[in-house]
C-alpha cells in the first residue's frame, strides 16, 4: 500500500461527535454518562486494544475483529461489517509503534455489509474551527509508513459486548521533496564561546523533514580548521546546531548537506552554501536574521547586542525582537524591525542618563515599551494579562562590564480567582567594548541573567506608580490601556 500527503493533525473528538454515536443518548443520560469515559478511551486512544493485541489477550465479550480490511495505494480503505457493532472507528497512527492516534473517524453501522472510505476522510474529520469561525484543515500526511486501523464498537447501552481488537494495514507514502530555499543565520556568544548556526524556512512539513543535516564550517583563513555539526533531531521548519570549537576572531564558510530517508523520498540528498559566520574575542555577533529562543519569562527577554551605544547621552540600549507571527509565549523572534507600530511587537530598551550610582561610570533609567505587543505577566494566561511598558535601570562599570535590572511590577488581581498578575524583577549582566568614536558595543550575557528576589505585592510601586500618577487609567485593572 503506497502513497503520500503530510504531517500531524491532533485529534480532538468533540462531545457533540460522540453523542452522535447513540440514537437515544438524551433519553438515557445516566447510562450515557456512566459509560462516557469508556467511549472517550475507545475513541481517542486505542492503547488498550494495542496492548491486548501485543499480548494476545482474548476478551470473550469482544466483538469480532473487522475482516478483509485493506488500504490501497490511493488511500482507499474497505472492511466488512461486524455483527452487533453500532459503529466503527478508523484510526491513523504515525507508525506501527505509536499508541496515540494522529486522526480518527467514526463510521456508523447502517446495515451495510461493507464499509469504504479514504484516508483523507479520516484527516478531514480532524479539522477544527477557530474563534472566528474559520475552518482549519489538517495537514496532509507526510512521507513515511503510516498505520491505519479499524475497531468495531457496540452500542453504548449494550453491556453484553466490548470493543473489538483492531484490524490494521500499513499505508506507505513516497515522493519527491521540494528543497526550497533554507535561510542560514548565526550567533556568536563570547560568554559561552559557542557558535550557533540557525536554519529556518525549510518548509518540509507537507512532505518529510530531513533525517540528518550535516553542517561543515571551514575557517576562511585556515583550511585545516574545519568543524562538523550533525543535526539529527529535525521535526520543525527551524533547527539549530551549536559548537564550542570555533576559533575567536575568525570567519567560517558554511556548507550544509541535507539527507532524507531514501526509503520514502525519491530525491534524498541536497547540498547548499550557507554563507558565512563570524566570531569575535570581544563582542557577541549576529549574522542574518538569527532566531534566539531563550526568554527570561514567558514572552520577554533581554536584548543580545546593541552596537554604538552612546554612554553620555543614552538612547537605545537594545531590542528584544518579537516575531509577530509567533505564539505569545515564544522567545526571540526574527531580528527585524518595522515602521508600522500597529504590527511592531518588539520590545525597545530606552536608556535615559542619570547621576551615576552603585560605583558605576554611567547610570540610566530604562523604559521598555512594545508598540503593538504585550509583555505577558506571571502567571501566564491566554487572557492577555500584561503590559506594554515596564521599567528598570542600567549601570556601566569601568571594568568593561554592565548590568541591567528590571523592576518588579504589579499588573492586577483577578477579581474571580484572586490570582495576582505581575512582571517579575530580573537582572542581566554583560560586557562592552569601546569603539574609536567613544560609543560602546553592549553584549548581554543570557547565561548570566535571572529573576531577582522580591516580595509579591498587590499595588503599584516604583516607576510604575510614578507613571500611574500621570496616567490615571493605567491603574484600572480591566481598563488598562497598557495591558494586552
Amino acid at each position: 500500500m503506497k502513497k503520500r500527503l503530510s504531517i500531524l493533525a491532533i485529534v480532538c473528538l468533540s462531545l457533540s461527535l460522540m453523542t452522535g454515536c447513540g440514537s437515544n443518548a438524551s433519553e438515557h443520560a445516566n447510562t450515557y454518562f456512566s459509560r462516557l469515559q469508556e467511549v472517550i478511551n475507545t475513541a481517542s486512544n486505542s492503547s488498550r486494544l494495542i496492548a491486548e493485541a501485543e499480548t494476545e489477550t482474548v476478551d470473550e465479550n469482544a466483538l469480532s475483529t473487522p475482516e478483509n480490511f485493506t488500504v490501497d495505494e490511493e488511500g482507499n480503505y474497505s472492511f466488512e461489517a461486524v455483527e452487533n457493532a453500532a459503529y466503527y472507528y478508523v484510526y491513523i497512527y504515525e507508525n506501527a509503534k505509536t499508541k496515540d492516534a494522529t486522526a480518527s473517524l467514526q463510521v456508523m453501522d447502517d446495515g451495510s455489509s461493507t464499509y469504504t472510505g479514504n484516508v483523507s476522510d479520516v484527516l478531514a474529520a480532524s479539522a477544527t474551527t477557530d474563534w472566528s469561525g474559520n475552518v482549519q484543515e489538517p495537514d496532509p500526511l507526510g512521507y513515511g509508513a503510516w498505520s491505519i486501523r479499524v475497531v468495531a464498537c457496540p452500542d453504548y447501552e449494550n453491556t453484553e459486548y466490548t470493543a473489538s481488537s483492531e484490524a490494521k494495514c500499513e499505508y506507505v507514502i513516497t515522493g519527491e521533496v521540494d528543497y526550497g530555499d533554507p535561510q542560514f543565520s548565526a550567533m556568536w556568544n563570547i560568554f559561552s564561546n559557542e557558535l550557533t548556526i540557525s536554519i529556518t524556512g525549510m518548509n518540509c512539513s507537507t512532505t518529510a523533514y530531513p533525517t540528518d543535516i550535516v553542517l561543515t564550517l571551514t575557517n576562511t583563513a585556515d583550511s585545516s580548521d574545519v568543524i562538523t555539526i550533525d543535526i539529527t533531531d529535525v521535526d520543525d521548519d527551524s533547527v539549530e546546531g551549536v559548537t564550542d570549537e570555533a576559533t575567536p576572531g575568525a570567519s567560517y564558510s558554511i556548507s550544509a548537506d541535507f539527507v532524507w530517508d531514501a526509503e520514502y523520498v525519491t530525491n534524498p540528498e541536497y547540498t547548499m552554501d550557507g554563507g558565512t559566520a563570524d566570531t569575535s574575542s570581544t563582542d557577541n555577533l549576529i549574522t542574518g536574521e538569527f532566531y534566539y529562543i531563550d526568554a527570561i519569562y514567558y514572552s520577554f527577554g533581554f536584548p543580545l547586542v546593541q552596537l554604538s551605544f552612546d554612554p553620555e547621552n543614552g538612547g537605545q540600549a537594545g531590542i528584544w525582537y518579537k516575531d509577530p507571527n509567533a505564539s505569545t509565549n515564544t522567545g526571540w523572534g526574527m531580528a527585524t524591525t518595522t515602521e508600522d507600530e500597529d504590527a511592531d511587537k518588539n520590545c525597545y530598551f530606552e536608556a535615559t542618563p542619570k547621576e551615576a550610582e552603585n560605583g558605576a561610570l554611567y547610570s540610566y533609567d530604562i523604559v521598555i515599551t512594545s508598540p503593538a505587543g504585550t509583555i505577558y505577566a506571571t502567571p501566564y494566561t491566554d487572557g492577555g494579562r500584561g503590559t506594554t511598558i515596564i521599567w528598570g535601570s542600567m549601570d556601566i562599570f569601568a571594568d568593561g562590564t554592565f548590568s541591567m535590572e528590571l523592576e518588579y511590577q504589579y499588573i492586577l488581581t483577578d477579581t474571580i480567582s484572586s490570582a495576582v498578575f505581575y512582571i517579575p524583577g530580573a537582572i542581566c549582566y554583560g560586557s562592552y567594548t569601546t569603539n574609536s568614536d567613544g560609543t560602546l558595543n553592549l553584549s548581554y550575557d543570557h547565561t548570566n541573567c535571572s529573576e531577582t528576589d522580591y516580595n509579591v505585592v498587590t499595588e503599584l510601586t516604583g516607576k510604575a506608580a510614578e507613571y500611574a500618577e500621570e496616567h490615571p487609567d493605567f491603574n484600572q485593572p480591566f481598563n488598562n490601556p497598557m495591558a494586552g
Side-chain angles (χ1 to χ4, degrees), residues 309-330:
F309 175 75
D310 185 344
E312 296 288 346
N313 299 309
Q316 184 170 286
I319 304 174
W320 186 80
Y321 295 98
K322 187 72 168 66
D323 181 359
N325 298 315
S327 60
T328 54
N329 59 342
T330 299

Side-chain angles (χ1 to χ4, degrees), residues 8 14 78 86 101 113 142 160 163 182 246 250 290 297 303 305 311 340 369 382 391:
L8 289 93
S14 68
S78 174
S113 60
E160 183 179 353
F290 183 79
Y297 48 87
V305 179
D340 182 5
T369 57
D382 291 330
W391 291 267

Side-chain angles (χ1 to χ4, degrees), residues 11-63:
V11 180
C12 293
L13 293 171
S14 68
L15 184 59
S16 62
L17 175 61
M18 290 186 287
T19 55
C21 301
S23 61
N24 55 359
S26 61
E27 300 175 12
H28 303 278
N30 291 335
T31 302
Y32 173 74
F33 284 106
S34 68
R35 303 198 62 188
L36 179 58
Q37 187 60 50
E38 178 184 341
V39 175
I40 294 174
N41 290 341
T42 301
S44 64
N45 186 344
S46 62
S47 60
R48 177 184 63 80
L49 302 175
I50 298 173
E52 289 177 357
E54 292 175 345
T55 59
E56 298 184 354
T57 299
V58 176
D59 182 352
E60 295 181 353
N61 296 320
L63 295 176

Side-chain angles (χ1 to χ4, degrees), residues 298-299 328-329 373-387 411-412 414 417 419 421 477-480 482-484:
Y298 301 115
S299 62
T328 54
N329 59 342
T374 298
I375 303 169
Y376 283 88
T378 298
Y380 172 77
T381 69
D382 291 330
R385 300 288 187 265
T387 182
I411 302 297
L412 59 86
D414 190 283
S417 67
F421 292 87
F478 294 97
N479 188 30
N480 186 344
M482 308 308 295

Side-chain angles (χ1 to χ4, degrees), residues 405-424:
E405 185 167 3
L406 307 183
E407 291 184 1
Y408 166 87
Q409 185 171 323
Y410 169 69
I411 302 297
L412 59 86
T413 300
D414 190 283
T415 56
I416 298 175
S417 67
S418 298
V420 178
F421 292 87
Y422 58 91
I423 301 295

Side-chain angles (χ1 to χ4, degrees), residues 466-475 481:
E466 295 176 12
Y467 183 89
E469 290 184 3
E470 300 178 3
H471 304 80
D473 289 342
F474 178 70
N475 199 28

Side-chain angles (χ1 to χ4, degrees), residues 143-176:
Y143 298 167
W146 296 81
S147 181
I148 314 300
R149 312 176 194 182
V150 62
V151 175
C153 302
D155 185 81
Y156 298 133
E157 297 181 349
N158 191 332
T159 59
E160 183 179 353
Y161 300 102
T162 59
S164 74
S165 297
E166 59 186 8
K168 54 187 174 182
C169 290
E170 186 180 70
Y171 173 51
V172 178
I173 309 175
T174 63
E176 184 177 274

